[in-house]
Amino acid sequence: MTRDNSTDTDEPTETMTDGGEDKEVAADGTGIVAPDDETPTWRERKERKQGLSRLTYEYFERSRREDQDLRNDSSYVERDVLAFPTWPHEMVRNLALTSFFVGLILFLSATLPPHLGAPANPSQTPAIILPDWYLYWSFGLLKLGPLNPELAVLGGKKLLQDSTYGVLANLVVVGFIAIVPFLNKGSARRPVEQPFWAAVGVFGVVFAAMISALSIKNLTPTWIDPHLLFDLTFLLPLVAGFITYGVLRAMREGYMFDLNRRYYRLRPPR
């Protein structure tokens, strides 16, 4: 490869010899670097055999050219920071948005008042006692009595009561959720970059949904077997987690190639 700095052009070019054929490569991104609209399909990425070596060459070659251009044209330019003042621009906008949502809430509360039922009877226990919907998963963990083991040394009795066992299950689940951020310290921003932790997240979401359905099993249709619902509570999260991991793992190769193509091909400064 020979470098030819022409005096009659504004941009430096390179002559690359490939099999006896000379190709000129400009520093503006044309030549060996494909345009952005020629993105290969997933099947083409899977069939690519020399994509990494070619990508590495293009990265270092582009980086070398841009580094040289930056050194030649380096000059400190002081730029003014453009912004909008807080008053009146930001304040007027925020007050307008706040007024709109407050007015919307007042309109809904005036036109659709909440239904007030009969007062509660303090001498009678309600037939159905349920917490708020976002606590169904915690209420469902209190119904894990069938998993409470019986000890033969105690004559087939349980060491802990079912309610105590459910409280311990809540501590285990909440503790696992709290420790996950300390275990996963990666910088990934997309599920395909870390399929394992994405599968763990899907497992948790599906488990929360199923344990919530288990907590209201007395309200479910009669054709749903309670024992089957109990088994699916622990089976479906595992299946969903494995499927998520397999799909993201298969997508990882094509995604990483596209990620390298977008982020490691440096563009020349403007």
Side-chain angles (χ1 to χ4, degrees):
M1 177 183 298
T2 60
R3 183 173 182 84
D4 183 13
N5 294 330
S6 301
T7 58
D8 56 346
T9 57
D10 295 335
E11 296 177 350
T13 59
E14 293 182 358
T15 303
M16 182 176 61
T17 303
D18 185 9
E21 181 182 356
D22 294 339
K23 298 180 179 179
E24 290 187 356
V25 180
D28 61 350
T30 60
I32 61 175
V33 181
D36 293 339
D37 57 351
E38 294 183 3
T39 304
T41 61
W42 183 82
R43 184 177 298 276
E44 292 175 349
R45 293 169 185 159
K46 299 290 289 186
E47 296 175 353
R48 191 184 296 269
K49 302 299 183 182
Q50 298 180 352
L52 183 59
S53 60
R54 185 68 175 179
L55 182 63
T56 304
Y57 164 73
E58 294 177 6
Y59 166 71
F60 284 107
E61 186 62 23
R62 176 65 67 81
S63 178
R64 182 188 63 81
R65 292 201 306 268
E66 291 199 355
D67 182 69
Q68 183 176 355
D69 294 341
L70 286 175
R71 291 178 184 272
N72 295 335
D73 302 334
S74 177
S75 60
Y76 178 77
V77 179
E78 184 177 358
R79 296 181 175 88
D80 297 331
V81 178
L82 300 179
F84 295 99
T86 303
W87 176 263
H89 300 76
E90 297 294 331
M91 291 298 297
V92 170
R93 184 194 63 178
N94 294 339
L95 287 176
L97 293 175
T98 303
S99 301
F100 171 77
F101 285 106
V102 171
L104 183 61
I105 293 175
L106 294 177
F107 173 77
L108 293 177
S109 62
T111 56
L112 301 174
H115 173 69
L116 298 178
N121 186 1
S123 61
Q124 183 180 0
T125 303
I128 300 176
I129 302 177
L130 290 175
D132 293 333
W133 64 269
Y134 49 83
L135 294 176
Y136 279 176
W137 65 272
S138 180
F139 188 64
L141 292 175
L142 298 176
K143 297 187 177 183
L144 297 181
L147 296 181
N148 193 0
E150 298 179 356
L151 300 180
V153 294
L154 298 179
K157 297 182 180 180
K158 296 181 179 181
L159 182 62
L160 299 174
Q161 295 183 356
D162 291 343
S163 57
T164 306
Y165 187 78
V167 172
L168 293 178
N170 274 272
L171 294 177
V172 171
V173 172
V174 174
F176 177 76
I177 295 175
I179 203 175
V180 164
F182 298 95
L183 298 177
N184 181 21
K185 297 182 179 181
S187 58
R189 296 185 178 182
R190 298 170 181 83
V192 70
E193 297 178 13
Q194 288 190 347
F196 173 77
W197 290 108
V200 171
V202 172
F203 172 86
V205 171
V206 176
F207 178 74
M210 294 304 301
I211 200 71
S212 299
L214 182 65
S215 65
I216 56 173
K217 62 181 180 180
N218 53 341
L219 300 179
T220 56
T222 56
W223 56 270
I224 298 180
D225 188 4
H227 299 286
L228 178 61
L229 182 61
F230 186 85
D231 296 337
L232 292 178
T233 302
F234 300 93
L235 180 61
L236 282 184
L238 291 175
V239 174
F242 279 114
I243 292 177
T244 302
Y245 179 80
V247 172
L248 295 179
R249 188 70 179 178
M251 296 172 56
R252 184 180 176 87
E253 181 178 353
Y255 171 80
M256 294 305 295
F257 181 86
D258 183 69
L259 190 67
N260 292 335
R261 179 179 180 274
R262 291 180 181 273
Y263 290 101
Y264 291 134
R265 283 181 179 169
L266 304 179
R267 297 182 180 274
R270 295 181 180 178

